[in-house]
Amino acid sequence: MDLCHPDPAELSSGETEELQQIKWHRKQLLEDIQKLKDEIADVFAQIDCFEIAEESRMAQKEKELCIGRKKFNMDPVKGVQYLIEHKLLTPDVQDIAQFLYKGEGLNKTAIGTYLGERDSFNLQVLQAFVDCHEFANLNLVQALRQFLWSFRLPGEAQKIDRMMETFATRYCLCNPGVFQSTDTCYVLSFSIIMLNTSLHNPNVRDRPPFERFVSMNRGINGGGDLPEEQLRNLFDSIKSEPFSIPEDDGNDLTHTFFNPDREGWLLKLGGRVKTWKRRWFILTDNCLYYFEFTTVSRGLPSLPLPQPLPTPSQSPAIRAGGPFEIIQPPPPRRTCFTGVGGEGFCLELYNPSCRGQKIKACKTDGEGKVVEGKHESYRISASSAEERDQWIKAIRASITRVPFYDLVSARKKKIANRH
């Protein structure tokens, strides 16, 4: 700010005083401007500090959220507890249900495990989770597609029953008047899931025609039949497009081997070379795996691909495999093992529908490629009759009849008794 400097001799006393006042105000103004600049600089510095702190806080929150998701995928209950303790979730049922419904970074199997628990709190979360789905103006197949995509349906009959009961109630609430009762929706939902398996499972040779689907569902609508046109639409929808079942992420394989039904060392008879070799067996998720080393001592990443012996799935809409059966040999006899001596207590796994047919299985070859197994049977030996019988009991339990049929049968009886 530049000022003119007139000759003082030419100024009157009043003009001189006024000039002094102007100079003083100019000085004050410059000082105020500098103070304002300093304050602005300080504000910007605070903003920078806040942004850095906020970025750090968000990074920490994202890190904790990532840890929480991983914990959930390994143990759903502990995962939710961790997220609540770190204030990433509230203990509110609705908040947890929304977290599961969005499913970002969550293992679908773990979601199903959490929703399937009988604890009263988990039951409330299940109800809130199902309420997150909007089924209005959707036919039953469309609603099932949405529902079965949001989590992995577990294999236990009681858990399936609770989940499908909650689904049927929600669907009927969103679509009043479509069915006589939730029982009708419940039974028809299972019929559709089983139809999906029968039409699209490559292991099923007898594809059911529409007439059989109609026959399966007679009398389920309050003692009466559902309109044939309605059943035709549902049948055609499944026939043209099977259910899309969510694939779990990379954590799924690791998750498979935690809390197995049974695990331990057994002897397995070789296929080409008939020698007995010690292998670590794991029975989990309706499959039998074996490894050269334990998963604990070597860690999963360094192990070869497990070699499963598929079994009838407890959830045919999700997985399916060829059947096998267990036979108990005559009383224990002395068996010669390669490098291992002792009494052999054996069991055999084979395909009962066609003796000599290859069991559906997979393994890695010498080059690390996944190839189909060529075993017609698997002969395994335990160290005692008790251990052998425990393995037989555990494997039999894993290949029990698909629970859907029992659930549907019980519900149909309930409908019939009402009328």
Side-chain angles (χ1 to χ4, degrees):
M1 183 182 293
D2 296 326
L3 295 176
C4 297
H5 298 281
D7 186 353
E10 297 177 357
L11 299 176
S12 63
S13 59
E15 289 174 337
T16 301
E17 184 178 347
E18 185 176 354
L19 179 61
Q20 293 299 322
Q21 287 288 333
I22 291 173
K23 289 181 178 180
W24 183 84
H25 282 298
R26 174 179 178 271
K27 180 181 177 183
Q28 293 296 315
L29 182 58
L30 291 174
E31 290 177 355
D32 289 343
I33 290 172
Q34 186 59 47
K35 286 181 181 179
L36 186 58
K37 285 182 177 180
D38 293 340
E39 289 177 0
I40 291 173
D42 185 55
V43 168
F44 274 111
Q46 290 181 30
I47 290 174
D48 289 340
C49 290
F50 175 79
E51 288 179 346
I52 292 172
E54 183 66 12
E55 287 175 1
S56 177
R57 189 183 72 82
M58 292 300 294
Q60 180 63 24
K61 181 180 178 180
E62 186 61 34
K63 180 181 178 181
E64 291 174 350
L65 184 59
C66 183
I67 293 173
R69 287 168 175 159
K70 289 181 179 179
K71 285 183 177 291
F72 179 89
N73 292 338
M74 300 298 294
D75 187 321
V77 174
K78 290 183 180 179
V80 169
Q81 182 180 352
Y82 175 90
L83 291 166
I84 291 174
E85 289 174 352
H86 288 76
K87 302 187 184 307
L88 300 168
L89 268 182
T90 71
D92 182 68
V93 166
Q94 299 293 335
D95 192 25
I96 296 173
Q98 282 289 339
F99 173 72
L100 300 180
Y101 179 69
K102 291 178 182 177
E104 296 176 1
L106 302 184
N107 183 290
K108 300 287 187 177
T109 301
I111 296 174
T113 298
Y114 188 84
L115 294 174
E117 294 297 329
R118 285 189 61 186
D119 183 88
S120 60
F121 183 78
N122 292 70
L123 294 176
Q124 294 178 50
V125 174
L126 170 62
Q127 181 64 63
F129 175 84
V130 177
D131 289 345
C132 290
H133 293 78
E134 182 51 65
F135 299 136
N137 301 317
L138 298 180
N139 68 34
L140 191 55
V141 169
Q142 292 170 328
L144 281 170
R145 290 189 195 281
Q146 181 188 140
F147 184 60
L148 296 177
W149 180 257
S150 60
F151 68 104
R152 221 47 193 279
L153 199 64
E156 296 85 344
Q158 290 183 341
K159 293 182 179 181
I160 295 172
D161 179 59
R162 288 194 295 271
M163 291 175 167
M164 295 305 294
E165 178 72 44
T166 310
F167 164 79
T169 301
R170 174 65 176 167
Y171 182 84
C172 290
L173 181 66
C174 292
N175 299 277
V178 174
F179 301 116
Q180 289 282 345
S181 68
T182 57
D183 288 334
T184 304
C185 181
Y186 177 98
V187 172
L188 186 57
S189 296
F190 277 117
S191 295
I192 291 170
I193 292 172
M194 290 186 286
L195 175 67
N196 178 79
T197 302
S198 299
L199 290 177
H200 299 289
N201 186 335
N203 294 320
V204 177
R205 296 180 181 179
D206 182 21
R207 307 294 183 194
F210 171 66
E211 291 72 23
R212 191 185 304 173
F213 181 64
V214 172
S215 177
M216 284 176 56
N217 295 289
R218 291 202 183 282
I220 68 171
N221 196 29
D225 295 339
L226 290 164
E228 188 168 309
E229 182 182 358
Q230 182 182 18
L231 293 177
R232 168 61 74 179
N233 290 336
L234 299 176
F235 182 90
D236 290 344
S237 178
I238 284 295
K239 186 176 181 180
S240 62
E241 182 184 356
F243 282 127
S244 295
I245 304 303
E247 295 293 335
D248 278 325
D249 56 23
N251 294 318
D252 191 35
L253 179 62
T254 303
H255 183 74
T256 297
F257 300 105
F258 283 82
N259 302 314
D261 299 327
R262 187 170 179 81
E263 61 182 335
W265 290 106
L266 294 170
L267 296 170
K268 188 187 80 69
L269 186 64
R272 237 180 2 208
V273 181
K274 300 299 181 182
T275 56
W276 292 88
K277 294 183 179 179
R278 192 167 180 254
R279 293 290 181 260
W280 181 260
F281 280 79
I282 294 178
L283 177 65
T284 183
D285 197 24
N286 306 104
C287 279
L288 184 62
Y289 302 82
Y290 63 87
F291 303 90
E292 186 176 353
F293 307 98
T294 67
T295 56
V296 176
S297 64
R298 290 293 297 268
L300 282 171
S302 62
L303 291 172
L305 182 74
Q307 302 172 53
L309 307 178
T311 74
S313 168
Q314 291 190 358
S315 305
I318 299 176
R319 290 186 296 273
F324 66 79
E325 184 174 305
I326 306 167
I327 60 172
Q328 298 186 36
R333 60 187 185 277
R334 176 76 58 179
T335 306
C336 180
F337 304 125
T338 301
V340 181
E343 295 290 342
F345 298 89
C346 304
L347 60 93
E348 181 181 17
L349 295 87
Y350 70 97
N351 191 327
S353 61
C354 183
R355 191 68 159 157
Q357 180 178 323
K358 291 178 184 177
I359 292 179
K360 292 184 181 297
C362 64
K363 63 179 182 179
T364 52
D365 62 12
E367 298 178 356
K369 295 180 181 179
V370 180
V371 296
E372 185 177 354
K374 297 181 179 180
H375 282 280
E376 295 178 357
S377 68
Y378 284 80
R379 294 184 181 180
I380 303 167
S381 177
S383 60
S384 67
E386 181 183 6
E387 184 182 25
R388 178 200 61 197
D389 293 343
Q390 288 174 348
W391 272 100
I392 288 175
K393 182 179 179 181
I395 296 175
R396 283 198 187 282
S398 76
I399 58 174
T400 52
R401 197 157 68 98
V402 177
F404 285 8
Y405 297 99
D406 295 330
L407 294 172
V408 171
S409 177
R411 193 57 62 99
K412 282 185 176 181
K413 287 180 181 179
K414 178 181 176 182
I415 295 172
N417 291 335
R418 287 179 181 170
H419 303 276

